[in-house]
Amino acid sequence: MFEQLTGHEDPHPIYERLRALGPLSGDGGLWVTTSHPVANTILRDRRFGMRFSDGSRPANGSLLAESFLELDPPDHTRLRRIATPAFSPKKIDEYRARVEKVADALLDRDEFDLITDFAAPLPISVISDLLGIPDADTAEFADYGALVAASIDSGVTAEMADANDKVLELFDRLIAQRRQTPGDDVISSLIAAEAEKRLTAQEMLSTLVLLLVAGFETTVNLIGNGMRALLDHPSQWKLFKANPELASAVVEETLRWAPPVHMTSRIAHEQVHRIGKDEVVTLLLAAANRDPEVYPEPHKFDVMRVHKPEHLAFSSGIHYCLGATLARMEGEVAFRALARRMPDLRQTGPVEFRDSVVIRGLKSFPVSRS
Ligand code: HEM
């Protein structure tokens, strides 16, 4: 059924057809759920993992297959623990003023593309800074990172494998520099962990690629999808402009209504009810976020909505997004800056969509300050 999907059209009519089949439907060992409680339960259930029960990885995996995103415990636990301190709420809060400055500088313009001139450069600059990638290298990392991210959708092409080699080379060079002169950045903290034999050189590289790609390929769509939703719902945009303290509510409703990541999957490591050992379940996070059993009027974009339970845009369980606090802060800063600096913002031409069906958002969104 997913073959019918493209990144261009609204996938929710297809998700609703799947929902009509029941909370968990399946065919030939491939299962799919649109239900919030079922998806949440599977994501939290240790009998499900990212890999098959013998530790092998699914064919057609992405270039992030060796990163902790696609590993099961105990390796997942060990590597995630090493990366976690860099993304603690306290660290991220200390970082807010710098993000505000970047956002402000990016908005010194009148006619621009909301994606390529604002929503993309903001998280790219933030994650590069956190990791310790110098400004001079940021554009190169970003271009290659985008290709690595594309492999999440389509599997690995020769062009993507080549881009991956380039990112690894660039990181190798930075790691060598940081070994000489450590700084207050994630690369330096991973080098310290490597010296204590807590991770291998290979694991350090795959962790860095994961943080780079996860750090910008998703957040760009939180900002883009949220701004599009606000401009398409003028009463909500007006409400937010009059009440900038609603920034966090705008972020949460965007994540529920137009999440950057539409789906993920898990593999059963043993028979669980109807799901057989080593069978795969696709979890439609975007459909779970519009589960009518959980959210009244689920298709309505409403920033005043009470989010209980939490949407699944950041997943759930042990792989819950490590960058969630950072992404939320970047989204809040971006929406507030746009509302304050550009209250008359308007769309000036047609939007262009990304091709991806997993990571959903816009490639281009032409706008004008007035
Ligand atoms: C709005 C922006 C973002 C969204 C919607 C998002 C979404 C997600 C989702 C759905 C997962 C889990 C996938 C699964 O369970 O299979 C995930 C994992 C992850 N995300 Fe994010 N993410 C965002 C921003 C970020 C940022 C800014 C970072 C910073 C580096 C980040 C780093 C990670 C990492 C490291 C993981 C792997 C966690 C693990 O496997 O334990 N994400 N993200």
Side-chain angles (χ1 to χ4, degrees):
M1 199 167 238
F2 298 129
E3 302 82 69
Q4 301 166 22
L5 285 173
T6 69
H8 302 218
E9 53 202 357
D10 177 8
H12 285 283
I14 290 183
Y15 297 164
E16 290 312 317
R17 272 161 51 203
L18 287 166
R19 197 187 307 283
L21 301 176
L24 180 73
S25 50
D27 185 14
L30 284 177
W31 300 87
V32 58
T33 181
T34 53
S35 151
H36 187 293
V38 172
N40 195 24
T41 304
I42 291 175
L43 289 166
R44 289 167 169 270
D45 188 330
R46 295 296 192 100
R47 291 172 295 177
F48 290 88
M50 291 295 201
R51 300 209 161 196
F52 289 109
S53 53
D54 65 0
S56 61
R57 61 185 217 210
N60 215 3
S62 79
L63 286 163
L64 299 176
E66 294 303 324
S67 76
F68 65 84
L69 171 64
E70 298 191 27
L71 289 177
D72 292 326
D75 289 328
H76 168 265
T77 322
R78 173 174 56 86
L79 295 172
R80 179 171 168 126
R81 198 168 282 154
I82 294 167
T84 297
F87 297 92
S88 72
K90 186 167 169 284
K91 271 256 157 69
I92 299 309
D93 209 43
E94 287 166 9
Y95 207 65
R96 182 183 287 263
R98 271 154 88 180
V99 179
E100 283 170 346
K101 237 170 102 183
V102 177
D104 231 35
L106 288 169
L107 289 181
D108 278 335
R109 49 181 117 228
D110 296 324
E111 301 262 326
F112 61 106
D113 191 304
L114 192 100
I115 304 301
T116 53
D117 295 327
F118 181 69
L122 181 67
I124 287 171
S125 138
V126 170
I127 195 66
S128 304
D129 200 25
L130 274 174
L131 291 183
I133 298 170
D135 283 350
D137 297 331
T138 298
E140 231 176 325
F141 270 95
D143 285 350
Y144 293 135
L147 276 167
V148 174
S151 73
I152 295 172
D153 241 72
S154 51
V156 183
T157 64
E159 189 191 12
M160 291 167 188
D162 189 46
N164 194 48
D165 290 345
K166 292 276 177 10
V167 181
L168 296 182
E169 267 170 42
L170 290 167
F171 272 129
D172 261 338
R173 185 163 50 73
L174 286 184
I175 291 168
Q177 282 168 12
R178 286 294 182 291
R179 281 194 209 283
Q180 302 296 320
T181 36
D184 179 25
D185 53 58
V186 177
I187 296 183
S188 302
S189 69
L190 294 183
I191 291 172
E194 187 206 13
E196 293 165 11
K197 305 250 181 299
R198 293 166 63 207
L199 86 171
T200 64
Q202 199 54 43
E203 289 169 338
M204 169 155 59
L205 278 174
S206 53
T207 300
L208 287 170
V209 177
L210 168 63
L211 296 175
L212 174 76
V213 170
F216 70 80
E217 279 297 311
T218 47
T219 313
V220 50
N221 301 310
L222 164 60
I223 300 170
N225 294 354
M227 238 7 257
R228 181 157 180 251
L230 287 169
L231 291 192
D232 283 352
H233 296 82
S235 64
Q236 303 277 303
W237 179 220
K238 200 170 154 203
L239 180 70
F240 171 46
K241 283 186 293 186
N243 303 278
E245 71 281 3
L246 288 177
S248 131
V250 171
V251 167
E252 295 314 306
E253 183 62 348
T254 301
L255 288 167
R256 185 194 71 84
W257 192 76
V261 181
H262 266 222
M263 60 187 86
T264 184
S265 59
R266 291 295 186 269
I267 300 172
H269 287 175
E270 57 187 81
Q271 176 91 30
V272 184
H273 306 296
R274 283 184 293 153
I275 305 168
K277 184 174 175 179
D278 285 327
E279 291 182 351
V280 180
V281 191
T282 298
L283 307 146
L284 289 174
L285 305 175
N289 283 357
R290 295 195 186 189
D291 185 342
E293 305 281 323
V294 173
Y295 301 110
E297 294 190 82
H299 296 290
K300 188 171 159 191
F301 177 75
D302 176 6
V303 302
M304 298 305 284
R305 178 185 293 279
V306 176
H307 278 275
K308 278 204 183 111
E310 186 185 333
H311 55 70
L312 295 179
F314 289 127
S315 188
S316 187
I318 63 169
H319 290 278
Y320 183 86
C321 176
L322 181 62
T325 309
L326 172 61
R328 287 182 158 123
M329 183 268 274
E330 290 183 77
E332 282 174 34
V333 168
F335 295 139
R336 264 178 198 259
L338 282 159
R340 185 173 45 82
R341 298 275 308 272
M342 309 216 167
D344 298 321
L345 190 75
R346 62 183 177 86
Q347 187 175 340
T348 53
V351 295
E352 258 184 77
F353 294 89
R354 294 168 74 111
D355 291 325
S356 167
V357 301
V358 178
I359 299 184
R360 288 223 167 225
L362 302 176
K363 256 198 311 217
S364 168
F365 184 5
V367 291
S368 165
R369 178 192 287 273
S370 58

